[in-house]
Every structure is written in C-alpha cells, then in structure tokens.
Amino acid sequence: MNVLLYDTTLRDGAQAEGISFSLEDKLKIATALDKLGVHYIEGGWPGSNPKDGLFFQEARRLRFHQATLVPFASTVRKGTSPHRDPSLLALLRAKTRAVCIFGKTWDFHVKHALGVTPEENLRMIRESVRFLKGKRREVIYDAEHFFDGFQDNREYAIATLRVALEAGADWLTLCDTNGGMLTDDLASMVQAVARLYPQARLGIHTHNDSGCAVANTLVAVRAGCTLVQGTINGYGERCGNANLCSIIPGLQLKLGIPCLPPDRLQALTEVSRFISELANVVPDDHQPYVGFSAFAHKGGVHVSGMSRHPRTYEHMAPSQVGNQRRILISELSGKSSVLMKAKELHLDFAKDTQATQRIIQLVKRKEHEGYQYEGAEASFALLVQKALGRHRPFFELEGFRVAVQTDKRSGVMVSEASVKVSVDGRVEHTVAEGDGPVNALDNALRKALEKFYPVLSEVSLSDFKVRVINAAEGTAAKVRVLIESRDAKDEWSTLGVSTNVIEASWQALVDAIEYKLLKQTDAGARLRGHRLSRS
Amino acid sequence: MNVLLYDTTLRDGAQAEGISFSLEDKLKIATALDKLGVHYIEGGWPGSNPKDGLFFQEARRLRFHQATLVPFASTVRKGTSPHRDPSLLALLRAKTRAVCIFGKTWDFHVKHALGVTPEENLRMIRESVRFLKGKRREVIYDAEHFFDGFQDNREYAIATLRVALEAGADWLTLCDTNGGMLTDDLASMVQAVARLYPQARLGIHTHNDSGCAVANTLVAVRAGCTLVQGTINGYGERCGNANLCSIIPGLQLKLGIPCLPPDRLQALTEVSRFISELANVVPDDHQPYVGFSAFAHKGGVHVSGMSRHPRTYEHMAPSQVGNQRRILISELSGKSSVLMKAKELHLDFAKDTQATQRIIQLVKRKEHEGYQYEGAEASFALLVQKALGRHRPFFELEGFRVAVQTDKRSGVMVSEASVKVSVDGRVEHTVAEGDGPVNALDNALRKALEKFYPVLSEVSLSDFKVRVINAAEGTAAKVRVLIESRDAKDEWSTLGVSTNVIEASWQALVDAIEYKLLKQTDAGARLRGHRLSRS
C-alpha cells in the first residue's frame, strides 16, 4: 500500500487564529516541506487574495526534490461557465501540474450556503472538473462536508462524488469539514464509498473539533484512502486540521506504510519546530512524537522503569522522529533520575561514589526549598559542577540594588538597578534602567560583565516565567523564576527560588550567564549544549 | 448505557512536565470536579509523598455532592504480605470508600521493571485486591500496559485480569500506559476482553502518545467499557492523558450517553479554564469544545456561511459546553461577551445604552493591552463601576517607591516599600519591609489605609500568580499579575498588567483593596461577592 501526503499548512493552516504567514515565510515552509518529503503542497487560494497569487509566481524558482505544488479554489460560481470563472482561471495561472477544487456534498449546504438547486451544484462540479482536466491538470476534488452530507442525504452525497469521478477527477477527497465525526462512524462511511467506487482513488481530510482528527485519518487509510491531507502541528481553523506530525509516524511506524523518503522521518521534530517558529506560535510541548515533553519522564515509577528498559514507558524510540528522551528532576524523582539525567547531560561521574551521594543530597535539599530542575537543565548542570567541586566562579558579587518608583511629575514607573561585581579583584560598578526591575538588573549585570567576557553579548533572554510555589501565603509566598536564554547555537533554561521575586530572578540571571561561560570552557564543551536546547 | 467518569487530574495529571499543584490547589480542584459532576476523583498516591497523604486528611472536610475520592497505589511489594505493605496501609489511612491499585499485565514489565516471576506478580495482584476487599473498599484495579501485554503475551495478560476479578475487584481498567495504541487495534482488544468476561465491569485509561487518546476512549466505551479515566485538559506525563474535556461532550452529545448531572455540561469550559489557571498552564486555545478558538471563524467562506446558518461550519452549538462563537475581525464578539459577563455578575445596566458602549470600548482597549478578565472578576466589576461613572475612589495615590538590595554585611536581601496616599486631603506616608518587594508594598499600603478603613484588617491575600504575556521579548515582556484576596465571607481576584512586575502587582493590590471597600457600600452589596469567588 502506498499513501501520498498532502500538506495544507499554507492554506488551511493559515486559517488558524493568530497565524499569518508572510510571502517569505510561505516560500521557506514550502522548501522545508519538500525536504521532508511531502508529495503535495497546497500553497494557497490564488483567486482569493493577491498574496497567494504572488506565492505561486515566486514559487516557480524553488527547485523541489519531489513535491508538487497545488493551488486551491472552489468549483465554478453559480450560473457561470468555467472559462469565464475568475477563480478557476487563477488556478490555471498558477501554472502547476496539479490543482485542487472543493465542491458541496451536503444538500443542506447547497441550499443554505450556496443558494442553488441540487442540479446546479452537480453541474458546477461536473463542468469545473471537466474544464481543468481539459487543461491537462491532475485534479484533486475535495468533497466538502462529505460525512455530514452522507449522514443527512446519502444519495445526494454519492451523486456529487459520481459526477466528479465521471468528469475525470483523479482524486476524491472525503472531508470532515466541521470536524465533528467519531472514528468508527467515519470508518464505516469511507468503507461504503470504497465498496461503491473500487476504482476511485480516495483522499481523507479531517478537522479536530471532536479531538479525533488523527485517529480518523488513520482509520480512513485502513479503510482505503491513499491520499492524506493535513497540516504541520495541526494548525487550522477552530480546533485545527489533522496533525501530520502525528499522522506520518503513525503511518510509518505503526501501520508500516512508508510515505516519506528513507531517513526523512528523523527530520520531523525539526520541521515541526521550524514551522512553529515561522508561525510565531509557542510550540505545544505535549504534542505527540515531536513535542519537547513527548518523551519526558517524571513519575518515580516511570523513571525507575526507564532506567531498566526504555520500552517500559516509551511506545517507540524518540530518535526515530528526531526527538529526545528527557528525565525530569522533580520532587518525585529518586536516585535513578539524578543518575540518568547526569548521563543524558554527559556529566561524567561514577555511580555510588561519594560525589554522587553529595549531588543527590544537594538536589534533594534544593528541591525541598522549592527548586525544580525539570525545566532548568542548565541550572542542574551548574549544580552538579558545584557538587563535584569543579565549579570556578566567573565573578564575585559585591552587591546589587533595585529601585522601582513612580516619577513625581509624570506618575510613570521607573526601574533602576545597580550592580557591583569583581573579576580577579577588578571591581566593576554599573547602573542601568529597564522596563521593569528584572530587565534593569539584567541590563546592569551584562553592562558590568561584558567588559570581562565579550562573548556575553551573544546571549539574549528569550523567555521569563514566574510561578508561585506555596500560594497560601499570598505575597509572602515563595516564587520560582525560570529564565530561558539563547545564543546562536543553543537555548538553555535556568531557575531561581526565593520569597523575593527580584532575588529569584537574580539567581536565574546569574546561572544563565555562568552557564554560557561554562559552555566556552573545556569542561563545558562536554556538556553537549544541543541536548539542553529546544530547537 | 451508563458511563462513570474517573478524573485523575490530581494524580496522573500532576505528572505533566511543569505542573505542580499545592495542597490548596488540589482541594479547590477536587471541589470544582465534584461540582462538575465527576463520579470518582483520584486524589493522589498517599504512600509516595507526604503532600498526597495530607490531601486525603484535609479533603475529609470537603462536602461532595456526589464524587467519591480515590487514593492510588501499586499492588503489594514483592515478597511482602499486604498487611505489612506501607503503600497499601497508606491507602487505608486515606479513609475513602473506594481505592485504586495498579498491577503489571505485561510479562516484559514483570521481568524487566519488577524483576519478579510471573507467578509472584499474580500473587501480588491477588493478595492486594483480596486484602482491600477484606477492608470493604470498592476496588478499582488498573491493568497497567494492558494492551501492550495483550499483544505480546495474551495468555498472561488475561491471567492477570482473571486473578484480579476472582479476588473481587469491582472494576478492571484496561490501560494504554505508553499511549501508543491505534484506535481499531484497541477496540478489538477491548471487545475480546468483554467477550471473555461479560460479567466484569471494564474501565478504560489511555494516553495520547499517538494522538488518539480521545478516539481510543470513545471506541472503548462503544466496545463495552463503562468507566472512563482521564484528566481535565488532557494533562499528564509525556503527551498527556485522555482529555475529559473532549471525551465528556463526545459521550453526551455524540454518543447520547449522559454522564454528568443535568445542565452541568455547560460548566465544562469554565472548569477547563479554572484548572489551567490553577495549574499555571497557558490554556490551549485550539482545544476541542472548550478552547478559546474552538468556535472561532476566520476564513471568509466560513464566516459568510456562519452568517447564514451556524450548522454550516459548527458541529454543535458552543453554548452546550459553555463556550462561545467568535467571529474574528468583528465587533460583535466583544459586545455579547461583555453583556453576558455583566449579567452573570449582576451588574445592572441596560443593553444598548451609551454606558454599555462605553464599557465595551473600555474592555476592548484593556484586552488589547493584555488584561484578561476571565480570572479576575473583581477587577472587572470595578472597571464597570468606573465606566458607569459610579466609582468613588477611596484614596489618592501620591506615589510609592520599592527598593530591593543586598545587605552589605550579611549579603541578605532586604525589601522596603514606601507609600504616600491621601484620603479626603489627609496624607499618610508609610514605610514597611517584606519578604519581597510585592509583600513590602502590600504591607506599606495596608499600614497607610487601615487608619482610614479599619475593615481592611479582615483582608488577606491568598494567592499571587504571575504570567508572561508576550514571551518573545524576555525580561522586557509584559506580565499579568493575578492576586486573590479573601475575608471571612468571600474570595475575589484582581489583576494588573505591565512590563514591570512591581507595577502590575500594585494595580492588582489596589483593585483588591478597592473591591473590599466597594463591597462595604450599598452599591457593592448587590455585587454578590460569592459569584466572584473561585470556590
């Protein structure tokens, strides 16, 4: 069995709330999808907006390895002849080998959304497909609302498919446009169509409104669909489209249907994160297969099982999709977690030595105080270095001071920080302002240290999180601050804990800087920065 | 057919990376789950950590409408007799009507994770169930890795179920612990068990590692399971557990199986968001049914279809789960939500008056700046009072100042705040220290105001949360501070937004105090404080 992948991230994916791709983004994404090995890339609806039209023009200079670019449109307008329809003409102007059009399957929609007779809708489908076939295009026909239509008026739904098929459509894609279908219902409807038209090549297009889009796609393939439509990370209108990042591993690793070229599956995690970066959407850490936490183990029983055999709590090897196992250090973790974590970070220390005991004691004490190393692997690495007596402080803190006050005249809030540090006896005393107290502190600390360590100018802070640990005591509660930093190559997380948000931030800032400096040393080179990275 | 809901947000959900519930959080979540109408609430693993043991002690003073609290543990340890097993004894000490234990089903696990013989594992299951039945508990037996075990060694997997059943287990829960199962495979395995043990009551527990947890749960119910385990928002280790917020509507609205008490389904969206707030996890906007974008329409064709008939692009009515339709890039969405919210809070103002327009404009502007009144109804009530011109300021701020610095000698961090306020022209200038800058500010502000308003001594701050809104800019990012306050009768939430965490905290502190003072007035008496409460 052979399944072809049809990506619609650039068209249906762009309908997600909050997503808007620039032309340049679209070209980059198409290139990445081709490299991944997708067969069809739906690039947009050239008749609906100028950006999509331009994309197909620009995309002609991309050299694809194998992907076919597909423009999208609706069937011809009511009462119009195809060769006068601006939307179909725009399809042809895209100058692609294949095109996709969608038509109405559900009589309810024909009446209420289109406002035409059932016969006119059949004409629109027939003539549109025939017209495009006459222009020697491969025609993918998307049967919009197929499953709702089939449930409501089976006869009419089938009539729309028959018309498209007889007019020469190369593919009939069955769409769960509203995303409300349940898995076994959908499977039996696909089977019914496959029995009716054994000669037809069927596609499947699902949405996630009932939380079943991935399962629905996989059962549809088992029921006979050989074209799979979906988007990277499941982006799409409302609850999103079927997520190709879950479907592709499902097809390859679970159903044994290879769909990507050899060795490309390992690129899946990278492609997922790259596209979330361009979409400017925070990646879903818990996303199956490719999420940052998809292979993160925290519960004590799980971690101890994992230390014996990975198969105990992993349904597959993370490396198959280019992801990584992560052992979380939390209040639940015992000795085995600490040891596995250290191994993962290439912190070489032998089991059951005095040093190991020291690390475990230190971690336990810190955790009791509220430190949580599960999201702060750089702070954990520094802690291990310290426990092993390998840590050389890069600077000494003489003191700092932060003041926030309302400006007497304007009422505007002003934040100022001063920092006094020394490196090898040379004292630096700096002051800086910022948007808030932590930003001011960050600015003052860098100002002081960049003099001694110019490499720090490469570091930028990419995220800042505050969480209250023991909430019950209100503003006197302990807070945990988590800071993410990055340079050109890596991304790393550090933390601080205190009843004082400024002090907790300070600890995390200092760790972030020390970790960067540690990375530059020989000892740090072994740390394998990329293992701490999210990207 | 009758399906019972078994929520494990407090146990399996807490194994998610980044989630750590305080004892207070756990009590609040249990109360919310009971109100929603869940049948079983798994509260934790009392034998594994002291916090979970304490939870069951404290939970005894909660008055549940219908939920049964369940503690969790593994079967007895190898070579141990149940009445000497600390974990089983801790189960009993929880003093609940029902208990849940998990045992090994997969011979691979028995050998590699437990390191016992297959027979010893059967003994451990048998004696544990028998022991707990002897103590007159309802016993839910979770067959860990059931599906992997069934595929690998069917005979042994079935033997573990038989032993549990014969020892008196009330439920056999079939678990896809590694979350790798596909929907049709899982369905046929559930059917096989149901055929084998028609008298057994079966449960289903799935994880989302292949993206199929919701679909797998729904087909398992159709195949004969009548107990559904899952978590709110799908929280859980790795890719999470089966999401009850998708499963419950699937059962009720699609399969026609009522599982919540009448009219409770409409509370689902609220419960989902409340628990994400306590977990301090950014809600997934695209989550089926309850997500902020779940019924958000953006594509031109979709919006135009929707304007003709909602059924064109919605698989169900959003109000059925307490969610709302949103037409993106439109003025309508804001108005109806503002009006709905105001009605809920008993803020009496007529529809379509000038004042309403003013409120809507103000809310829109505030939301654009990052304010979100979802979890801060006291701030919303104040905002409405202000927009209606009904707000009388209780004090004037002349200025404040916060300083945090390291003490030169001890190195200890010192936080000091000074506040200058006036009430009816009388100026009060106070200074106070605190555990951190916000605590210092809180102390100084109360010191100044209690002189004029002694009633403020009743108020205490019960929670303090900080969330970064636009994370991309690091420490210069905007933060949203949420403060919860309480007096003897009520609990209320207020918020502040700024790039400066101190300023945002100040806004929330001021709102908290103004709301308390407003409550004391005639106008405030109508506000129905309890409706602003989270619990």
Side-chain angles (χ1 to χ4, degrees), chain B residues 415-535:
Chain B
S415 301
E416 184 195 279
S418 61
V419 167
K420 200 192 234 175
V421 294
S422 66
V423 176
D424 301 330
R426 284 154 64 206
V427 174
E428 196 66 28
H429 193 177
T430 53
V431 63
E433 288 189 338
D435 290 317
V438 181
N439 185 236
L441 204 51
D442 184 30
N443 292 339
L445 183 61
R446 284 144 172 287
K447 202 164 152 185
L449 290 176
E450 278 180 19
K451 208 162 205 172
F452 305 106
Y453 304 107
V455 75
L456 288 178
S457 66
E458 295 169 6
V459 181
S460 68
L461 299 189
S462 54
D463 200 355
F464 170 70
K465 287 205 164 92
V466 184
R467 178 164 297 166
V468 176
I469 310 173
N470 49 348
E473 291 159 69
T475 51
K478 253 189 190 174
V479 295
R480 178 162 55 230
V481 167
L482 209 72
I483 284 180
E484 275 179 50
S485 310
R486 61 157 62 116
D487 57 19
K489 265 180 28 212
D490 297 322
E491 189 166 316
W492 60 96
S493 307
T494 53
L495 92 162
V497 171
S498 167
T499 52
N500 184 327
V501 65
I502 304 295
E503 184 174 28
S505 305
W506 169 263
Q507 294 171 8
L509 283 173
V510 168
D511 269 13
I513 283 174
E514 291 216 307
Y515 183 76
K516 168 67 177 171
L517 297 174
L518 178 64
K519 281 211 305 164
Q520 311 299 117
T521 65
D522 288 348
R526 277 199 314 270
L527 280 172
R528 293 248 196 126
H530 73 277
R531 291 210 161 242
L532 305 176
S533 153
R534 292 180 156 264
S535 49

Side-chain angles (χ1 to χ4, degrees), chain A residues 443-491:
Chain A
N443 292 339
L445 183 61
R446 286 145 171 284
K447 202 164 153 186
L449 289 176
E450 278 180 20
K451 209 162 205 172
F452 305 105
Y453 304 107
V455 75
L456 289 177
S457 66
E458 296 168 5
V459 181
S460 68
L461 300 189
S462 54
D463 202 355
F464 170 70
K465 289 202 172 95
V466 185
R467 177 162 300 166
V468 177
I469 311 172
N470 49 348
E473 290 160 69
T475 52
K478 253 190 189 171
V479 295
R480 179 162 53 231
V481 167
L482 210 72
I483 283 180
E484 274 178 49
S485 311
R486 61 154 64 116
D487 57 20
K489 265 181 28 214
D490 298 321
E491 190 165 317

Side-chain angles (χ1 to χ4, degrees), chain A residues 131-147:
Chain A
F131 172 72
L132 294 166
K133 284 310 295 178
K135 303 290 177 186
R136 265 168 292 175
R137 298 301 198 273
E138 177 182 345
V139 175
I140 296 144
Y141 174 72
D142 278 10
E144 201 197 19
H145 291 104
F146 172 76
F147 299 98

Side-chain angles (χ1 to χ4, degrees), chain A residues 14-19 45 104 106 108-109 112-113 144-145 152 177-180 182-185 208-212 214-215 218-219 222 236-239 246 250 254-255 286-289 292-299 301-302 305 308-309 311-315 326 328 331-332 372 374-375 397-406 413 415 435-439 442 461-469 471-476 479-480 483 499-503, chain B residues 14-20 22 45 49 51 102 104 106 108-109 112-113 144-145 152 177-185 208-212 214-215 218-219 222 236-239 246 250 254-255 279-280 286-289 292-299 301-302 308-309 311-315 326 328 397-406 413 415 435-439 442 461-466 468 471-476 479 483 499-503 509:
Chain A
Q15 305 221 127
E17 177 167 14
I19 290 187
W45 186 337
K104 299 285 184 195
W106 190 5
F108 168 80
H109 247 266
H112 287 96
E144 201 197 19
H145 291 104
D152 249 31
T177 309
N178 290 6
L182 296 190
T183 311
D184 26 16
D185 297 335
N208 200 37
D209 298 72
S210 53
C212 299
V214 170
L218 294 174
V219 298
R222 275 186 166 173
E237 192 128 10
R238 305 186 314 269
C239 309
S246 304
K254 310 231 168 221
L255 295 180
H286 299 280
Q287 192 182 152
Y289 300 99
F292 189 61
S293 307
F295 301 92
H297 303 277
K298 177 170 160 187
V301 171
H302 287 207
R308 296 199 173 88
H309 200 294
R311 213 175 141 215
T312 52
Y313 290 97
E314 276 175 4
H315 66 124
R326 290 165 56 242
L328 305 179
E331 61 185 353
L332 307 168
Q372 207 180 38
E374 68 176 64
L397 172 70
E398 308 277 329
F400 73 80
R401 184 171 188 295
V402 179
V404 179
Q405 62 189 102
T406 44
M413 207 70 52
S415 301
D435 290 317
V438 181
N439 185 237
D442 184 30
L461 300 189
S462 54
D463 202 355
F464 170 70
K465 289 202 172 95
V466 185
R467 177 162 300 166
V468 177
I469 311 172
E473 290 160 69
T475 52
V479 295
R480 179 162 53 231
I483 283 180
T499 51
N500 183 327
V501 65
I502 303 295
E503 184 174 27
Chain B
Q15 304 221 128
E17 176 165 17
I19 290 188
S20 170
S22 69
W45 187 336
N49 69 73
K51 196 206 284 164
F102 77 97
K104 298 285 184 195
W106 189 5
F108 168 81
H109 247 267
H112 287 97
E144 201 197 19
H145 290 105
D152 249 31
T177 309
N178 291 5
M181 287 296 138
L182 296 191
T183 311
D184 26 16
D185 297 335
N208 200 36
D209 298 72
S210 52
C212 300
V214 170
L218 294 174
V219 297
R222 275 186 167 173
E237 193 129 10
R238 305 185 314 270
C239 309
S246 303
K254 310 230 169 218
L255 295 179
N280 204 7
H286 300 279
Q287 192 183 152
Y289 301 99
F292 188 59
S293 307
F295 300 93
H297 302 277
K298 178 171 159 187
V301 171
H302 288 206
R308 294 198 173 87
H309 200 294
R311 214 176 142 213
T312 53
Y313 289 96
E314 275 176 4
H315 67 124
R326 290 164 57 239
L328 304 180
L397 172 70
E398 309 276 330
F400 73 80
R401 185 170 186 293
V402 179
V404 179
Q405 63 189 102
T406 45
M413 206 70 51
S415 301
D435 290 317
V438 181
N439 185 236
D442 184 30
L461 299 189
S462 54
D463 200 355
F464 170 70
K465 287 205 164 92
V466 184
V468 176
E473 291 159 69
T475 51
V479 295
I483 284 180
T499 52
N500 184 327
V501 65
I502 304 295
E503 184 174 28
L509 283 173

Side-chain angles (χ1 to χ4, degrees), chain B residues 221-469:
Chain B
V221 168
R222 275 186 167 173
C225 292
T226 52
L227 182 76
V228 163
Q229 297 195 354
T231 62
I232 296 295
N233 301 327
Y235 295 143
E237 193 129 10
R238 305 185 314 270
C239 309
N241 285 56
N243 187 349
L244 286 179
C245 294
S246 303
I247 291 168
I248 296 172
L251 290 171
Q252 297 214 167
L253 303 176
K254 310 230 169 218
L255 295 179
I257 302 169
C259 35
L260 297 180
D263 301 329
R264 293 311 298 151
L265 187 60
Q266 291 104 293
L268 194 65
T269 299
E270 190 189 328
V271 170
S272 159
R273 295 183 189 170
F274 170 63
I275 291 179
S276 80
E277 197 66 46
L278 288 190
N280 204 7
V281 166
V282 180
D284 175 6
D285 286 345
H286 300 279
Q287 192 183 152
Y289 301 99
V290 298
F292 188 59
S293 307
F295 300 93
H297 302 277
K298 178 171 159 187
V301 171
H302 288 206
V303 173
S304 120
M306 289 300 298
S307 72
R308 294 198 173 87
H309 200 294
R311 214 176 142 213
T312 53
Y313 289 96
E314 275 176 4
H315 67 124
M316 46 151 307
S319 59
Q320 291 180 288
V321 291
N323 206 344
Q324 285 169 14
R325 174 175 314 138
R326 290 164 57 239
I327 303 297
L328 304 180
I329 320 164
S330 145
E331 302 303 281
L332 301 169
S333 50
K335 185 167 156 184
S336 54
S337 22
V338 169
L339 288 171
M340 274 185 72
K341 191 85 218 160
K343 199 176 149 199
E344 186 188 315
L345 296 177
H346 294 254
L347 299 165
D348 54 336
F349 56 87
K351 207 170 164 178
D352 287 322
T353 62
Q354 250 198 328
T356 318
Q357 288 307 323
R358 243 187 350 256
I359 293 169
I360 291 163
Q361 288 317 312
L362 192 57
V363 169
K364 280 198 176 277
R365 186 163 60 75
K366 287 288 199 176
E367 279 178 354
H368 183 73
E369 291 167 18
Y371 290 77
Q372 206 178 41
Y373 293 95
E374 187 89 33
E377 287 157 328
S379 284
F380 181 76
L382 285 165
L383 179 107
V384 168
Q385 294 296 105
K386 282 172 194 165
L388 295 176
R390 291 185 193 153
H391 183 71
R392 172 184 84 88
F394 295 95
F395 61 92
E396 298 286 341
L397 172 70
E398 309 276 330
F400 73 80
R401 185 170 186 293
V402 179
V404 179
Q405 63 189 102
T406 45
D407 181 82
K408 284 243 163 58
R409 279 159 195 247
S410 63
V412 165
M413 206 70 51
V414 182
S415 301
E416 184 195 279
S418 61
V419 167
K420 200 192 234 175
V421 294
S422 66
V423 176
D424 301 330
R426 284 154 64 206
V427 174
E428 196 66 28
H429 193 177
T430 53
V431 63
E433 288 189 338
D435 290 317
V438 181
N439 185 236
L441 204 51
D442 184 30
N443 292 339
L445 183 61
R446 284 144 172 287
K447 202 164 152 185
L449 290 176
E450 278 180 19
K451 208 162 205 172
F452 305 106
Y453 304 107
V455 75
L456 288 178
S457 66
E458 295 169 6
V459 181
S460 68
L461 299 189
S462 54
D463 200 355
F464 170 70
K465 287 205 164 92
V466 184
R467 178 164 297 166
V468 176
I469 310 173

Side-chain angles (χ1 to χ4, degrees), chain B residues 56-292:
Chain B
F56 286 96
Q57 244 177 62
E58 295 285 318
R60 256 171 252 152
R61 50 181 180 79
L62 302 177
R63 301 242 168 271
F64 284 160
H65 292 91
Q66 59 153 41
T68 298
L69 212 56
V70 185
F72 176 87
S74 67
T75 52
V76 68
R77 279 194 268 183
K78 59 179 167 184
T80 312
S81 145
H83 61 269
R84 287 221 190 83
D85 187 86
S87 192
L88 290 184
L89 295 175
L91 269 192
L92 297 178
R93 271 199 306 277
K95 294 200 166 72
T96 56
R97 184 176 75 62
V99 297
C100 179
I101 52 166
F102 77 97
K104 298 285 184 195
T105 322
W106 189 5
D107 58 348
F108 168 81
H109 247 267
V110 173
K111 193 171 162 191
H112 287 97
L114 275 186
V116 303
T117 63
E119 295 70 34
E120 168 64 359
N121 180 51
L122 294 179
R123 180 204 64 90
M124 289 156 63
I125 297 170
R126 182 187 306 114
E127 292 192 1
S128 305
V129 174
R130 205 176 272 161
F131 172 73
L132 294 167
K133 285 309 297 177
K135 302 291 177 187
R136 264 168 290 176
R137 297 302 196 273
E138 176 182 348
V139 175
I140 295 145
Y141 174 72
D142 278 8
E144 201 197 19
H145 290 105
F146 172 76
F147 298 97
D148 295 295
F150 190 89
Q151 283 180 334
D152 249 31
N153 184 341
R154 181 171 173 150
E155 204 184 328
Y156 187 73
I158 292 296
T160 64
L161 291 187
R162 188 175 51 239
V163 159
L165 198 60
E166 285 170 1
D170 297 280
W171 294 94
L172 302 179
T173 307
L174 311 179
C175 304
D176 180 17
T177 309
N178 291 5
M181 287 296 138
L182 296 191
T183 311
D184 26 16
D185 297 335
L186 179 134
S188 64
M189 290 187 267
V190 173
Q191 282 158 2
V193 175
R195 271 195 305 270
L196 212 54
Y197 298 118
Q199 80 284 18
R201 292 198 293 170
L202 301 180
I204 181 73
H205 174 113
T206 67
H207 284 257
N208 200 36
D209 298 72
S210 52
C212 300
V214 170
N216 288 359
T217 301
L218 294 174
V219 297
V221 168
R222 275 186 167 173
C225 292
T226 52
L227 182 76
V228 163
Q229 297 195 354
T231 62
I232 296 295
N233 301 327
Y235 295 143
E237 193 129 10
R238 305 185 314 270
C239 309
N241 285 56
N243 187 349
L244 286 179
C245 294
S246 303
I247 291 168
I248 296 172
L251 290 171
Q252 297 214 167
L253 303 176
K254 310 230 169 218
L255 295 179
I257 302 169
C259 35
L260 297 180
D263 301 329
R264 293 311 298 151
L265 187 60
Q266 291 104 293
L268 194 65
T269 299
E270 190 189 328
V271 170
S272 159
R273 295 183 189 170
F274 170 63
I275 291 179
S276 80
E277 197 66 46
L278 288 190
N280 204 7
V281 166
V282 180
D284 175 6
D285 286 345
H286 300 279
Q287 192 183 152
Y289 301 99
V290 298
F292 188 59

